[in-house]
Amino acid sequence: QPLRRQVQRTVDRRFDRSRYDGERIAATFAGRLRGQIDLGGVERDLDAIVQSYGKVGIFSGTVLVAHDGKTVYEAAVGLANRETNVPNRANTRFNIGSIGKTFTAVSILQLAEAGKLKLSDPISRFLPDIPYAEKDTITVAHLLNHSAGTGNYMAHKDFAANMGKLRTIDAFLPLIYDQPPSFAAGSR
């Protein structure tokens, strides 16, 4: 604990939060403030945080920051496998779990913003073969906010036995199609 507090104080001193608040960092890397912030300073501050947190075990993973298609900062700290002492590397593959939902939501909202789909579109537009009677009432919005009533493919009786073979959307669809909705879309 004392070491962690010391690292936090060091990071707090080196990382000027008034200059790099989260919203401004996000805007910078989205390209909205091109040229207005010294990226070298961001790189130095990010490295101080990443390396300090890595040393005391607060963070284990990889970080990549790109600006205008060029890598500005890249680091790997901690262990990919604690049992075998294998360190993280820039190309370490991670099981990202539920964070994938966030990436999916952002992608869907970008498609909606571009006019390629509507959140009110029924899932039958994208999955015409889905065997649900409700396929025209379940919308993209219901899927995004987890109110569609559709089953959990991970709870399907065949999921555990076939997990290693499930690599494509087409491989997952039978598990989804086999579970009819458990409640009316939007009712929960």
PDB file of all heavy atoms in Angstrom, residues 6 25 56 122 135 153 185:
ATOM      1  N   GLN A   6       2.834   6.039  -3.045  1.00  0.00           N
ATOM      2  CA  GLN A   6       3.982   6.799  -3.534  1.00  0.00           C
ATOM      3  C   GLN A   6       3.948   6.902  -5.058  1.00  0.00           C
ATOM      4  O   GLN A   6       4.184   7.971  -5.623  1.00  0.00           O
ATOM      5  CB  GLN A   6       5.277   6.139  -3.072  1.00  0.00           C
ATOM      6  CG  GLN A   6       6.517   6.881  -3.523  1.00  0.00           C
ATOM      7  CD  GLN A   6       7.787   6.166  -3.077  1.00  0.00           C
ATOM      8  OE1 GLN A   6       7.746   5.149  -2.398  1.00  0.00           O
ATOM      9  NE2 GLN A   6       8.915   6.703  -3.487  1.00  0.00           N
ATOM     10  N   ILE A  25      -8.357  14.672 -23.903  1.00  0.00           N
ATOM     11  CA  ILE A  25      -7.536  13.592 -24.469  1.00  0.00           C
ATOM     12  C   ILE A  25      -8.329  12.857 -25.539  1.00  0.00           C
ATOM     13  O   ILE A  25      -7.843  12.612 -26.636  1.00  0.00           O
ATOM     14  CB  ILE A  25      -7.053  12.616 -23.373  1.00  0.00           C
ATOM     15  CG1 ILE A  25      -5.981  13.289 -22.517  1.00  0.00           C
ATOM     16  CG2 ILE A  25      -6.492  11.337 -24.003  1.00  0.00           C
ATOM     17  CD1 ILE A  25      -5.542  12.463 -21.336  1.00  0.00           C
ATOM     18  N   VAL A  56       3.947  -1.494  -9.946  1.00  0.00           N
ATOM     19  CA  VAL A  56       3.304  -1.873  -8.684  1.00  0.00           C
ATOM     20  C   VAL A  56       2.101  -2.789  -8.882  1.00  0.00           C
ATOM     21  O   VAL A  56       1.403  -3.114  -7.929  1.00  0.00           O
ATOM     22  CB  VAL A  56       2.899  -0.633  -7.849  1.00  0.00           C
ATOM     23  CG1 VAL A  56       4.129   0.132  -7.409  1.00  0.00           C
ATOM     24  CG2 VAL A  56       1.927   0.241  -8.600  1.00  0.00           C
ATOM     25  N   PRO A 122     -35.779  -3.508 -37.470  1.00  0.00           N
ATOM     26  CA  PRO A 122     -35.981  -4.828 -36.853  1.00  0.00           C
ATOM     27  C   PRO A 122     -34.806  -5.754 -37.169  1.00  0.00           C
ATOM     28  O   PRO A 122     -34.135  -5.591 -38.198  1.00  0.00           O
ATOM     29  CB  PRO A 122     -37.263  -5.332 -37.526  1.00  0.00           C
ATOM     30  CG  PRO A 122     -37.295  -4.629 -38.843  1.00  0.00           C
ATOM     31  CD  PRO A 122     -36.640  -3.285 -38.620  1.00  0.00           C
ATOM     32  N   LYS A 135     -39.390 -11.538 -34.704  1.00  0.00           N
ATOM     33  CA  LYS A 135     -38.227 -10.963 -35.388  1.00  0.00           C
ATOM     34  C   LYS A 135     -38.477  -9.584 -35.983  1.00  0.00           C
ATOM     35  O   LYS A 135     -37.538  -8.837 -36.220  1.00  0.00           O
ATOM     36  CB  LYS A 135     -37.693 -11.925 -36.446  1.00  0.00           C
ATOM     37  CG  LYS A 135     -38.576 -12.113 -37.665  1.00  0.00           C
ATOM     38  CD  LYS A 135     -37.940 -13.124 -38.594  1.00  0.00           C
ATOM     39  CE  LYS A 135     -38.770 -13.382 -39.829  1.00  0.00           C
ATOM     40  NZ  LYS A 135     -38.126 -14.357 -40.694  1.00  0.00           N
ATOM     41  N   TYR A 153     -26.410 -17.008 -25.567  1.00  0.00           N
ATOM     42  CA  TYR A 153     -25.786 -18.144 -26.255  1.00  0.00           C
ATOM     43  C   TYR A 153     -24.782 -18.864 -25.366  1.00  0.00           C
ATOM     44  O   TYR A 153     -24.555 -20.052 -25.505  1.00  0.00           O
ATOM     45  CB  TYR A 153     -25.137 -17.717 -27.575  1.00  0.00           C
ATOM     46  CG  TYR A 153     -23.943 -16.808 -27.425  1.00  0.00           C
ATOM     47  CD1 TYR A 153     -22.678 -17.327 -27.228  1.00  0.00           C
ATOM     48  CD2 TYR A 153     -24.087 -15.426 -27.484  1.00  0.00           C
ATOM     49  CE1 TYR A 153     -21.578 -16.506 -27.085  1.00  0.00           C
ATOM     50  CE2 TYR A 153     -22.987 -14.595 -27.336  1.00  0.00           C
ATOM     51  CZ  TYR A 153     -21.744 -15.137 -27.134  1.00  0.00           C
ATOM     52  OH  TYR A 153     -20.659 -14.320 -26.989  1.00  0.00           O
ATOM     53  N   ALA A 185     -39.775  -7.953 -26.328  1.00  0.00           N
ATOM     54  CA  ALA A 185     -38.771  -6.893 -26.524  1.00  0.00           C
ATOM     55  C   ALA A 185     -39.254  -5.580 -25.922  1.00  0.00           C
ATOM     56  O   ALA A 185     -40.385  -5.166 -26.118  1.00  0.00           O
ATOM     57  CB  ALA A 185     -38.482  -6.719 -27.994  1.00  0.00           C
TER      58      ALA A 185
END
